[in-house]
Amino acid sequence: MRFGMFVPQGWRTDLVGIAPEQQWGVMLDLAQRLDGEEAWESLWVYDHFHTTPEPTQEATHEAWTLMAALAATTGRVRLGQMCTCMSYREPTYLAKVAATVDAISGGRVEMGIGAGWYEQEWRAYGYGFPGAGERLARLREGVEIFRQMWTTGSATLDGEHYQVDGALCWPRPLQGTAFEGSERNGIPLWVAGGGERKTLRIAAEYADYTNFDGSPEGFARKSGILQEHCAEVGTDFEAITRSANYNVVIGRDEAEVTDRLAGIKDRMVRGGIAEDTAARSVENLRTQPAVGTPEQITETLQGLQGQGMTYAITYFAEAAYDTSGIELFEDEVIPALRG
């Protein structure tokens, strides 16, 4: 199994109490820690503007600004976003940004892309909030523009939502040109989301990686539907790496797990999230697949690995303050799953 990790950027009230002038330093320290640890293949950021599950005045640092900064300050670890919202930026512009970051990083970009879902954020930023059908249609047209720009250097598309005529992307990404990259897309493309009729169909047509429900039952169902779409469009199902995101709350015993959960709730409340909302969030978290002792988490992930989930993208809510959970995961979970 391969492993990536989110760095805290504030979206999940994970920089509460850290002064704004110190936040980038905290993120950079963690990124460079990952860069120096071979167990971690990739680091990730979220593409959001307001905190969740409620908007507050706590920091939420912008994803692609961070991508450029991390590209210039790390040297090995791959860099992704889970996931960029297609409609927050024109796809021609976004393809150009990603190509530039790929050049800065020496060919280390992973493009995570999705249709978007956070309605409050969309409306606050003036994007409206079109229905799911339109958001998914934009996603399909956008990934076609990405593929053209990254693999040929230009894109032309007379779509329903995007009309482009010879949009240039020079230099092309280093991946697929100077360095090995995705044969299909140049920059590896992650289509995130588990929508069964459209999102997984788009994934079958375009994706190098998918990212959807990481529970054993959900993963099995989404995998089966993706396989059906692959058969229909003529894509090799086995060539698409299937990943999932995991909120990791790890402790040597149940008492330590409970303490970590209490700490997450406390930071949410101090960050401006309502007490009852924070409580519901933590109760939901308590039942998730990567919450427990090292032995429990390893057993769950080994089962998922047997189902074909071969890339786990992890999130440690306390990472900005305490890396002991990360260290425990590195020492006892990753070795068991990497063989």
Side-chain angles (χ1 to χ4, degrees):
M1 187 175 289
R2 302 152 70 185
F3 292 91
M5 188 196 303
F6 287 96
V7 295
Q9 69 192 89
W11 181 57
R12 298 180 66 177
T13 55
D14 47 19
L15 294 172
V16 171
I18 299 172
E21 65 271 20
Q22 296 175 343
Q23 290 172 357
W24 164 242
V26 169
M27 290 184 275
L28 179 59
D29 285 349
L30 282 162
Q32 292 182 333
R33 182 191 185 285
L34 295 181
D35 200 35
E37 176 52 67
E38 292 288 337
W40 300 105
E41 181 170 331
S42 54
L43 70 82
W44 297 80
V45 297
Y46 296 106
D47 184 28
H48 285 290
F49 306 143
H50 293 174
T51 55
T52 191
E54 298 171 344
T56 72
Q57 294 185 10
E58 286 294 319
T60 302
H61 292 273
E62 197 276 327
W64 279 95
T65 310
L66 290 177
M67 287 286 290
L70 293 165
T73 51
T74 59
R76 178 198 63 86
V77 71
R78 297 189 64 79
L79 308 170
Q81 342 72 49
M82 193 62 71
C83 63
T84 298
C85 174
M86 181 64 79
S87 295
Y88 284 178
R89 306 162 190 85
E90 288 293 314
T92 46
Y93 169 74
L94 183 54
K96 184 69 176 176
V97 169
T100 299
V101 176
D102 200 55
I104 295 168
S105 69
R108 293 184 286 128
V109 169
E110 305 280 343
M111 171 57 86
I113 195 72
W117 60 272
Y118 195 179
E119 180 176 357
Q120 191 280 338
E121 190 173 72
W122 279 67
R123 294 192 184 281
Y125 270 72
Y127 296 133
F129 190 63
E134 180 175 335
R135 283 179 278 135
L136 287 161
R138 292 182 186 183
L139 175 63
R140 177 183 291 280
E141 291 181 14
V143 294
E144 173 61 30
I145 290 168
F146 290 174
R147 176 175 287 180
Q148 290 186 37
M149 291 183 72
W150 293 339
T151 61
T152 73
S154 69
T156 296
L157 180 75
D158 184 15
E160 180 181 358
H161 303 285
Y162 301 115
Q163 296 81 40
V164 300
D165 184 9
L168 298 179
C169 188
W170 296 99
R172 285 169 50 198
L174 297 185
Q175 295 182 90
T177 54
F179 302 138
E180 183 179 354
S182 161
E183 291 185 9
R184 305 174 78 187
N185 301 302
I187 293 175
L189 186 67
W190 300 59
V191 174
E196 296 179 357
R197 288 195 309 112
K198 295 185 178 180
T199 305
L200 292 179
R201 180 82 173 196
I202 295 168
E205 293 180 71
Y206 289 93
D208 299 291
Y209 296 80
T210 56
N211 183 269
F212 46 65
D213 189 336
S215 68
E217 301 80 8
F219 186 84
R221 176 175 174 81
K222 303 301 182 184
S223 294
I225 293 167
L226 176 65
Q227 187 169 22
E228 292 173 4
H229 285 306
C230 286
E232 291 170 3
V233 302
T235 299
D236 180 4
F237 170 68
E238 296 297 336
I240 300 175
T241 299
R242 285 168 286 153
S243 75
N245 297 344
Y246 293 96
N247 297 308
V248 180
V249 184
I250 189 169
R252 294 194 177 278
D253 53 34
E254 292 299 331
E256 188 173 357
V257 173
T258 298
D259 286 346
R260 289 195 188 279
L261 289 166
I264 292 169
K265 179 185 173 185
D266 177 66
R267 282 189 295 275
M268 292 178 71
V269 172
R270 287 191 290 115
I273 304 299
E275 177 95 22
D276 58 341
T277 301
R280 286 194 300 272
S281 295
V282 170
E283 281 307 304
N284 173 266
L285 185 58
R286 189 184 297 273
T287 63
Q288 292 185 16
V291 176
T293 64
E295 296 78 14
Q296 290 169 332
I297 294 170
T298 298
E299 182 180 3
T300 299
L301 292 181
Q302 283 175 333
L304 283 153
Q305 187 175 33
Q307 293 179 242
M309 196 289 293
T310 59
Y311 204 142
I313 312 300
T314 62
Y315 172 77
F316 295 80
E318 75 281 3
Y321 316 91
D322 174 13
T323 61
S324 62
I326 297 172
E327 291 159 11
L328 183 58
F329 191 87
E330 290 170 338
D331 291 342
E332 300 197 20
V333 178
I334 290 179
L337 290 155
R338 295 185 79 197

